[in-house]
Amino acid sequence: MASRGLAIRCLQIKKFGQLLPSCQTVHVISVQPTRDSSYRSNKPIGPPSLYTDVEISTSPEEWKFVERLLPKTFVPKPTVKSDYPSGWKPPAESSCSHPYYVERNRNHMYPLYLKIQGRGEKKTTKLKHIHGDIWALHDDLKKYLEERSKKYVFLQIQEVSGHINIKGDHFSIVEEWLQDNGF
């Protein structure tokens, strides 16, 4: 018996590639729900040509409204202003005077991340995309962090990948240091 929305199948069991005798035939019933979509369950009101009439336009005046809706394939460069409402600052020209450089990510933000582990007990601040003399950056950043926090700060350098891991939550202090130095 089949009810609406269910498909029932009967299968005969095979043993070693041969069908079992009729007295040993086992029927397995598997019930699989099927659902008709609303498109298939509704009856058509008229011929499809009433609903699929398309007008092709090559007018650039109409195309500009379509281009606004398409997603951008890249992040545009920010417009130059003296002050931004979010507090964001573009890289300054003075950042070229340092022996190291911190490259921004593709969204023009600092590559600075806070990693929280162990139910909030272990916090690590990570600074990425460091180019140049990473050891000079380590010394300058460590000196600044220890002056601000008035305690010893542990920094771990990953020279090959260009990362510095800082033990603890120093996200806002490092971000402030990067802004002050023009990175």
Side-chain angles (χ1 to χ4, degrees), residues 70-133:
L70 295 175
K72 301 222 184 276
T73 56
F74 62 93
V75 178
K77 290 191 176 188
T79 57
V80 179
K81 297 180 186 177
S82 61
D83 189 30
Y84 294 89
S86 64
W88 180 85
K89 293 181 183 177
E93 296 297 325
S94 65
S95 65
C96 298
S97 63
H98 297 288
Y100 47 83
Y101 180 71
V102 179
E103 181 185 358
R104 302 227 180 163
N105 63 17
R106 65 180 176 183
N107 296 323
H108 309 290
M109 302 299 287
Y110 293 118
L112 188 62
Y113 306 97
L114 178 65
K115 186 176 181 181
I116 301 174
Q117 294 176 314
R119 297 182 183 174
E121 295 296 320
K122 183 180 179 184
K123 295 178 182 176
T124 307
T125 307
K126 188 172 199 172
L127 180 61
K128 298 168 82 174
H129 303 296
I130 301 169
H131 301 285
D133 190 3

Side-chain angles (χ1 to χ4, degrees), residues 13-20 24:
I13 305 295
K14 292 184 177 181
K15 186 176 182 182
F16 303 115
Q18 298 177 352
L19 218 55
L20 293 172
Q24 293 181 355

